Amino acid sequence: MTNAERFLNAYAQCEKRLAELAEQPRYIPFSQLVARCANRSRVVAINQQSLREYNELRNAIVHIRGSKKEIIAEPCNSVTEDIERIAKLLTEPHDILKYASMPVKTVYIDTSIHDAFQLMQEMDTSKIPVYKEQNFVGMLTLAEIAKVAMQGRTDDTVVSDVISSTKNSRVVFTSKSNNVDVVLEYFDKARDEGITLLAILITESGKSSEKPIGIITTADLPNILKIYA
């Protein structure tokens, strides 16, 4: 397959996916699709300039003669590979669970601080979700455990004695059906509000009354951001 054929195949994949994202039942020009989708897809937002240039290039390499397309130019390897990269990013699913830590261990409000600390060490984590029966009540952090330890009161202390309810606003729940674009939106929103998210907890349908099946923290962001590089 020539570079021109590969380019046109990837271009068609991009155009189809952009039309789906834009939810346009009727045809609109490619450049308008890019503009409409830039605020709906991080992939489009990051690559919108390249997509506009590839739209112009597509018109330069194809000449329409009647009902036939005549290829009149060949794109170089780097351009062909780049539009294929963008097409892959747009069309391949990036399920949120693929980038989450699983399974998620939890503790309860009556769990001893000692047991909670042991579990966090086993998981190599600095935070762990806390539940009261089936309901999420907050995140226990190593900082809170360290404070209790320095006060010398770990023997009979349970999680409910030290957990801070003010951190609940720093935890987001989302459905497992979402993709990683949603993850970055949550972190961006928190940053804009001057908040540092402790975690994104992933459940079946995004409800706090459901047990988490995956967790994403700032430690997972580097792997997520590699998608868009």
Side-chain angles (χ1 to χ4, degrees):
M1 186 180 293
T2 66
N3 278 2
E5 291 170 331
R6 287 168 56 194
F7 179 95
L8 293 174
N9 285 343
Y11 181 93
Q13 292 174 28
C14 290
E15 187 171 36
K16 179 181 179 183
R17 181 57 184 148
L18 290 174
E20 293 171 351
L21 287 171
E23 299 177 337
Q24 287 296 316
R26 292 179 293 182
Y27 171 80
I28 64 172
F30 188 89
S31 58
Q32 291 183 31
L33 285 175
V34 172
R36 295 191 184 193
C37 294
N39 63 350
R40 301 189 181 193
S41 166
R42 188 173 293 262
V43 172
V44 178
I46 293 173
N47 294 282
Q48 58 182 313
Q49 183 58 40
S50 293
L51 286 167
R52 290 193 180 97
E53 291 173 358
Y54 293 155
N55 177 48
E56 295 178 5
L57 180 57
R58 184 264 182 191
N59 295 333
I61 67 175
V62 175
H63 175 69
I64 307 298
R65 190 185 299 276
S67 61
K68 295 182 179 181
K69 292 181 180 179
E70 181 182 357
I71 295 176
I72 58 176
E74 285 281 333
C76 64
N77 290 338
S78 61
V79 165
T80 303
E81 291 166 1
D82 191 52
I83 193 171
E84 288 177 334
R85 175 189 65 83
I86 297 172
K88 185 177 181 181
L89 287 174
L90 284 172
T91 57
E92 284 192 352
H94 296 289
D95 296 335
I96 196 170
L97 284 175
K98 182 179 178 181
Y99 303 92
S101 297
M102 300 182 292
V104 181
K105 300 291 185 179
T106 62
V107 295
Y108 293 89
I109 58 171
D110 57 354
T111 300
S112 72
I113 288 296
H114 179 270
D115 289 346
F117 177 66
Q118 289 294 111
L119 184 56
M120 291 166 78
Q121 280 195 312
E122 292 173 13
M123 296 169 57
D124 190 26
T125 183
S126 62
K127 56 189 75 72
I128 193 168
V130 181
Y131 282 76
K132 180 179 182 181
E133 297 178 351
Q134 299 300 314
N135 296 310
F136 173 79
V137 296
M139 297 287 290
L140 177 67
T141 66
L142 275 180
E144 288 169 324
I145 294 177
K147 183 177 180 180
V148 171
M150 291 179 67
Q151 295 171 348
R153 56 187 183 94
T154 58
D155 291 343
D156 57 355
T157 303
V158 295
V159 170
S160 60
D161 294 329
V162 299
I163 189 170
S164 171
S165 61
T166 59
K167 299 193 307 298
N168 288 7
S169 62
R170 296 167 59 193
V171 178
V172 173
F173 281 81
T174 193
S175 167
K176 71 174 187 179
S177 63
N178 282 326
N179 62 38
V180 291
D181 266 9
V182 171
V183 170
L184 297 179
E185 288 171 8
Y186 283 136
F187 278 107
D188 286 347
K189 181 180 178 182
R191 180 201 60 215
D192 293 343
E193 295 175 353
I195 298 171
T196 300
L197 280 187
L198 285 174
I200 296 175
L201 294 177
I202 305 161
T203 69
E204 190 70 28
S205 58
K207 296 178 181 177
S208 61
S209 57
E210 299 172 326
K211 282 298 180 69
I213 53 181
I215 182 171
I216 290 178
T217 66
T218 52
D220 300 301
L221 285 179
N223 283 335
I224 293 174
L225 291 171
K226 286 179 184 177
I227 300 171
Y228 305 95

